[in-house]
Amino acid sequence: MPSTADDWSTRHSVLTHARRAAALVNALADDHPDPAEVTKVLKAYGEVGTVAVTPRDVAEMRTAAVRLREVFAAADADGAATALNRLLGEYTGPLRLTSHGGDSPWHPHIDRDDDAPWGEWLLASSCLALAVLVWDRQHPPGRICASPSCSDVFINQGSGPDRRYCSRRCATRERVAAHRRQQGSGAAE
């Protein structure tokens, strides 16, 4: 194995897989995503060795990302589960364990095989991680940013109240805009 088990388990935790799903959905949101940018996201979330994604792979991954966005758009656990069940039923294989020929510790997969195309892999691995989060937390695993000027998705896990925005930057931008609207309406009176 190329890395220690601790390093592997950190890179491949359910939460890391879910965050990778959100990052890829965001990276694939453009009409023509750049394969180099998609590769950067894959590397940032633990893909090791040479990662070769072609424009065709990226197109298939973009189709998967569009489908995954339905899970992030769900208003509640029931909606997220319904979207996940539809995706799991239509696009994944049976649950199986793999070690990728001994190159990694045993872990679950629901894509049809270890050499599945990138789009199938993205959909299957993301559905598996997002389903575990719904199961564990009993609410949607993430959401779409509430800022009208942002369409990014994010994982909404952790302590404290549910987040509405994908980042502090979006939250601050909306807070400042609301303050300016309030100041403007006060000055007009």
Side-chain angles (χ1 to χ4, degrees), residues 175-187:
R175 214 172 18 256
V176 167
H179 177 73
R180 287 181 179 155
R181 282 192 303 273
Q182 184 179 25
Q183 293 301 314
S185 67

Side-chain angles (χ1 to χ4, degrees), residues 104-118:
S104 70
W106 288 100
H107 59 282
H109 268 240
I110 56 174
D111 48 2
R112 297 189 203 288
D113 101 9
D114 284 355
D115 294 322
W118 281 106

Side-chain angles (χ1 to χ4, degrees), residues 87-113:
L87 294 171
L88 289 164
E90 291 177 21
Y91 299 106
T92 64
L95 178 65
R96 64 190 172 77
L97 292 171
T98 184
S99 68
H100 298 282
D103 289 337
S104 70
W106 288 100
H107 59 282
H109 268 240
I110 56 174
D111 48 2
R112 297 189 203 288
D113 101 9

Side-chain angles (χ1 to χ4, degrees), residues 8-25:
W8 189 92
S9 65
T10 300
R11 288 184 296 116
H12 295 283
S13 71
V14 170
L15 193 52
T16 299
H17 279 292
R19 287 181 176 141
R20 179 193 63 208
L24 285 167
V25 167

Side-chain angles (χ1 to χ4, degrees):
M1 276 182 260
S3 60
T4 68
D6 287 341
D7 179 49
W8 189 92
S9 65
T10 300
R11 288 184 296 116
H12 295 283
S13 71
V14 170
L15 193 52
T16 299
H17 279 292
R19 287 181 176 141
R20 179 193 63 208
L24 285 167
V25 167
N26 293 335
L28 293 158
D30 293 336
D31 287 337
H32 302 287
D34 179 8
E37 290 302 312
V38 173
T39 298
K40 273 192 208 176
V41 173
L42 292 169
K43 296 289 241 176
Y45 282 90
E47 288 297 318
V48 293
T50 303
V51 177
V53 289
T54 66
R56 181 175 181 197
D57 294 330
V58 170
E60 290 173 5
M61 292 173 80
R62 185 172 188 284
T63 299
V66 168
R67 291 182 181 119
L68 288 167
R69 189 172 279 278
E70 297 171 26
V71 178
F72 290 96
D76 55 28
D78 291 348
T82 297
L84 282 164
N85 282 336
R86 186 176 54 258
L87 294 171
L88 289 164
E90 291 177 21
Y91 299 106
T92 64
L95 178 65
R96 64 190 172 77
L97 292 171
T98 184
S99 68
H100 298 282
D103 289 337
S104 70
W106 288 100
H107 59 282
H109 268 240
I110 56 174
D111 48 2
R112 297 189 203 288
D113 101 9
D114 284 355
D115 294 322
W118 281 106
E120 182 181 325
W121 165 84
L122 171 59
L123 192 62
S125 65
S126 299
C127 282
L128 183 58
L130 296 172
V132 170
L133 291 182
V134 171
W135 168 26
D136 186 49
R137 307 289 170 90
Q138 295 298 302
H139 61 79
R143 56 188 342 170
I144 298 172
C145 185
S147 173
S149 62
C150 180
S151 62
D152 282 355
V153 302
F154 62 95
I155 299 299
N156 191 22
Q157 301 293 319
S159 59
D162 282 351
R163 291 174 30 209
R164 295 182 54 222
Y165 301 100
C166 68
S167 65
R168 287 184 179 178
R169 189 173 108 195
C170 279
T172 300
R173 183 177 57 244
E174 292 307 313
R175 214 172 18 256
V176 167
H179 177 73
R180 287 181 179 155
R181 282 192 303 273
Q182 184 179 25
Q183 293 301 314
S185 67
E189 293 176 15

